[in-house]
Amino acid sequence: MRESTIIKIDRINNLKNKIKKIFSNQFVRNVSTLAAGSIISQAVVVGTSPILSRLFTAESFGMLSIFTSITVFFAVVSTGRYELAIGLPRDEKKAYSLLKLILVIGLIISSSYFIVIFCLKNIFLINDSMGFLNNSTAYLAPFYIFLIAFYSGLGYILQRQKKYKIITIANAVQVISASLGSIAFGFLNIKQGLIYSLILGMFFAIIFVLKHTPEVLKGGFDFKEIKQNAIDYIDFPRYMIFSDLSLTASQQFIPILFSTLFSASIVGFYSMANRMIRLPNIVITSAVGNVFRNDAIEEIRLKGNCRTLYLSTLRKLIFISIPIYSLVFLFSPLLFTFFLGIQWKESGIYARILSIMLMFEFVSTPLSTIFYIQNKQKLFAKIQFINAFFGAVCIFLGNILMNSPIGSLCFYVANSVIFNLVLIYYSYKFSYDD
């Protein structure tokens, strides 16, 4: 009996030591820090969704999805993709100058968008089938695009400085303030409240980051230095704008295409499904990708490759993704009906289909940062363009052959799985080959 007790104590001590060893690993600690904030943020999203699903209609969620898709797509241009270069210079001052370059580009691009929207609405009187221009919130799109550019640049500064705790809290501030704002607007019966709260959440997150990193804007704007940085890192806008526009299109064009093929309510059902089951991707892959990129840069500088880090990260991602999305596939229709109400059952069916794609995307997304590190932006741009093109074709093909949004979604998911496998293949290859 005594020997049995001693053996159990030894096993417990061994388990404690293993857990302690895991969390003493710098990579795991950094990922955990970033993931913790995302978990809190997404817990708020999930927790408030049953409330919001009863305060707002599927059409309101559809309009939010269309607004988000359009602004996120055009926000790619608003930074010139110079935020991807922030982690490269050794000099901190040069990194701050890149942030100021992003602000200048963002202001110019956002102002241009406002003029275009004003002309389309008031001069050419365009009545788009999506309903985007028909709403007064269209005028808020340029402002939100500028906020996205600013927040993106600040995020990369924080990643460069490995201030993961501030990133974590800022993301939590963004989501929590947006969720609370949505509930308040919902009780006030403001139809566009989801869009208003989205903008407020981003604004509060930027204020929080600036309060904790005021040095990033000190020293004013040295336009000579800003211009030189724009020239030094010209490859990022030259190759990455096209690439990331293609990637963003492949991720965001479903609400836009669905709004032209189907109703705003269908877009709302898709939006809710995407909002709920992307939680593991938002919580884990962004955290892993941010840490993997920084660690890979350091490992390549020291060893000339990051194959060991790559394989270790790949195994972790596969190990996590399979059980998570298997459960989503099996139970999503039941869970959506139970938590959101019977009117959202169709969202659960969409979630089941999307879970197949997201299982592969969960693995490929963090590892694809190797394209940026190894200066393979041109190839990445081509792959993204091909994916976006065939993704759009698949949506229309599914609608033609099956005459339903589910058919379009199935064809789109099949294309996306192939695309993610291609990304995994090339990212593995580039983890060793320069």
Side-chain angles (χ1 to χ4, degrees):
M1 184 75 176
R2 186 179 176 186
E3 289 181 2
S4 176
T5 304
I6 292 172
I7 291 171
K8 286 180 180 178
I9 293 172
D10 287 340
R11 286 177 178 174
I12 292 170
N13 288 333
N14 287 334
L15 181 61
K16 286 181 179 178
N17 289 332
K18 286 180 180 179
I19 294 172
K20 189 176 180 181
K21 185 177 179 182
I22 289 171
F23 283 95
S24 66
N25 182 281
Q26 187 66 37
F27 181 88
V28 174
R29 258 206 327 268
N30 290 338
V31 170
S32 299
T33 302
L34 289 174
S38 296
I39 289 170
I40 295 169
S41 301
Q42 295 310 306
V44 173
V45 171
V46 173
T48 56
S49 290
I51 302 171
L52 296 177
S53 66
R54 290 165 173 83
L55 291 174
F56 294 95
T57 63
E59 184 181 356
S60 294
F61 278 96
M63 292 310 300
L64 171 67
S65 184
I66 293 167
F67 179 88
T68 304
S69 295
I70 290 172
T71 51
V72 168
F73 178 78
F74 286 107
V76 172
V77 182
S78 66
T79 64
R81 307 314 283 159
Y82 280 108
E83 73 270 31
L84 299 173
I86 285 176
L88 300 179
R90 296 182 183 275
D91 182 16
E92 199 73 13
K93 185 182 176 184
K94 195 165 187 177
Y96 293 160
S97 181
L98 281 167
L99 174 63
K100 293 169 185 176
L101 169 62
I102 290 167
L103 291 178
V104 171
I105 295 172
L107 184 61
I108 294 170
I109 296 295
S110 298
S111 300
S112 302
Y113 288 154
F114 183 86
I115 293 169
V116 170
I117 290 170
F118 180 84
C119 291
L120 291 175
K121 278 178 67 71
N122 297 283
I123 298 176
F124 298 104
L125 303 177
I126 299 296
N127 185 17
D128 67 294
S129 58
M130 294 180 293
F132 174 74
L133 292 174
N134 298 336
N135 288 296
S136 58
T137 52
Y139 287 122
L140 295 175
F143 177 62
Y144 184 60
I145 287 169
F146 176 76
L147 293 181
I148 292 174
F150 196 179
Y151 190 61
S152 178
L154 288 172
Y156 276 87
I157 288 288
L158 294 174
Q159 288 172 36
R160 171 191 172 86
Q161 298 172 345
K162 297 190 176 182
K163 294 181 178 179
Y164 298 119
K165 195 171 287 186
I166 295 178
I167 296 173
T168 293
I169 299 172
N171 289 337
V173 167
Q174 179 189 354
V175 175
I176 291 170
S177 56
S179 297
L180 293 177
S182 294
I183 293 172
F185 286 125
F187 278 114
L188 293 172
N189 201 28
I190 298 174
K191 187 179 179 182
Q192 303 296 342
L194 292 171
I195 294 175
Y196 298 149
S197 60
L198 178 75
I199 297 169
L200 284 174
M202 184 68 76
F203 179 77
F204 286 132
I206 290 172
I207 296 299
F208 172 82
V209 174
L210 289 177
K211 186 178 178 182
H212 288 81
T213 56
E215 70 276 4
V216 297
L217 295 179
K218 283 184 178 178
F221 285 70
D222 185 342
F223 287 99
K224 185 177 179 181
E225 184 181 7
I226 289 172
K227 182 180 177 182
Q228 187 58 49
N229 277 331
I231 296 169
D232 290 343
Y233 297 99
I234 193 65
D235 279 352
F236 285 91
R238 181 179 293 164
Y239 298 119
M240 297 317 300
I241 285 180
F242 178 72
S243 168
D244 290 348
L245 277 174
S246 300
L247 174 61
T248 307
S250 68
Q251 295 173 338
Q252 301 294 336
F253 66 45
I254 291 184
I256 296 172
L257 291 183
F258 269 32
S259 67
T260 60
L261 295 173
F262 311 106
S263 66
S265 295
I266 294 295
V267 179
F269 289 135
Y270 166 80
S271 172
M272 181 61 80
N274 198 46
R275 171 191 177 98
M276 296 296 284
I277 69 161
R278 274 196 179 272
L279 183 128
N281 281 45
I282 294 169
V283 170
I284 300 171
T285 60
S286 59
V288 173
N290 291 338
V291 177
F292 173 75
R293 180 178 56 252
N294 285 346
D295 287 359
I297 289 172
E298 290 182 10
E299 197 160 310
I300 289 170
R301 283 174 181 167
L302 294 172
K303 301 179 182 178
N305 70 80
C306 61
R307 176 61 58 88
T308 303
L309 174 66
Y310 180 94
L311 291 175
S312 172
T313 308
L314 175 65
R315 284 191 292 268
K316 291 183 179 77
L317 290 168
I318 293 173
F319 179 76
I320 297 169
S321 67
I322 293 175
I324 288 175
Y325 285 107
S326 296
L327 292 172
V328 171
F329 182 85
L330 291 172
F331 299 111
S332 54
L334 178 65
L335 293 173
F336 272 67
T337 302
F338 179 78
F339 286 105
L340 304 180
I342 190 66
Q343 69 271 27
W344 293 95
K345 183 179 180 180
E346 192 166 349
S347 281
I349 297 170
Y350 293 176
R352 170 174 283 173
I353 299 167
L354 288 169
S355 66
I356 301 169
M357 173 189 78
L358 291 175
M359 183 170 67
F360 289 88
E361 188 179 296
F362 185 95
V363 177
S364 71
T365 301
L367 299 174
S368 294
T369 56
I370 200 74
F371 282 88
Y372 302 112
I373 298 167
Q374 295 287 35
N375 199 28
K376 301 295 181 182
Q377 296 98 322
K378 196 171 182 180
L379 174 63
F380 195 59
K382 289 178 181 178
I383 296 173
Q384 300 289 9
F385 175 77
I386 292 169
N387 173 60
F389 175 77
F390 281 104
V393 170
C394 285
I395 287 176
F396 283 106
L397 188 62
N399 183 54
I400 292 168
L401 296 178
M402 302 179 71
N403 194 30
S404 74
I406 290 177
S408 293
L409 207 55
C410 287
F411 275 76
Y412 171 77
V413 165
N415 173 77
S416 185
V417 168
I418 295 170
F419 159 75
N420 281 295
L421 288 173
V422 170
L423 280 182
I424 292 170
Y425 165 76
Y426 276 108
S427 61
Y428 172 74
K429 185 175 181 293
F430 295 144
S431 68
Y432 188 79
D433 301 329
D434 189 355

